[in-house]
């Protein structure tokens, strides 16, 4: 079951919500456990799947042996 990461827009608390894709599609009601606000926004960028024990992200095409100009600052 995937874990969706949300952030409370009121206090900035990060919330991890475990839900099935079906539940997600129906619309999750995420309530901040810290301040009780329902103004939560989905956080993208760090996608976690339970059961998977993979390492850090995938191979990067930037900052690698074939990094082009403009990469790596
Ligand atoms: Zn909050």
């Amino acid at each position: 079951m995937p874990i969706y990461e949300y952030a409370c827009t009121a206090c900035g608390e990060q919330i991890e919500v475990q839900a099935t894709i079906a539940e997600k599609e129906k619309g999750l009601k995420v309530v901040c456990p810290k301040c009780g606000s329902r103004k939560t926004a989905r956080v993208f960028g760090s996608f976690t799947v339970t059961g998977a024990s993979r390492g850090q992200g995938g191979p990067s095409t930037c900052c690698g042996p074939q990094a082009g100009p403009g990469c790596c600052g």
Side-chain angles (χ1 to χ4, degrees), residues 8 10-13 32 34-37:
C8 175
C11 75
E13 178 78 356
C32 175
K34 192 173 177 183
C35 72
S37 172

Side-chain angles (χ1 to χ4, degrees), residues 11-43:
C11 75
E13 178 78 356
Q14 293 208 336
I15 309 149
E16 285 187 349
V17 181
Q18 199 172 48
T20 62
I21 290 170
E23 283 178 319
K24 172 72 168 59
E25 284 182 349
K26 276 192 288 184
L28 286 173
K29 289 192 175 73
V30 182
V31 180
C32 175
K34 192 173 177 183
C35 72
S37 172
R38 273 177 288 181
K39 289 183 179 176
T40 50
R42 179 77 194 282
V43 176

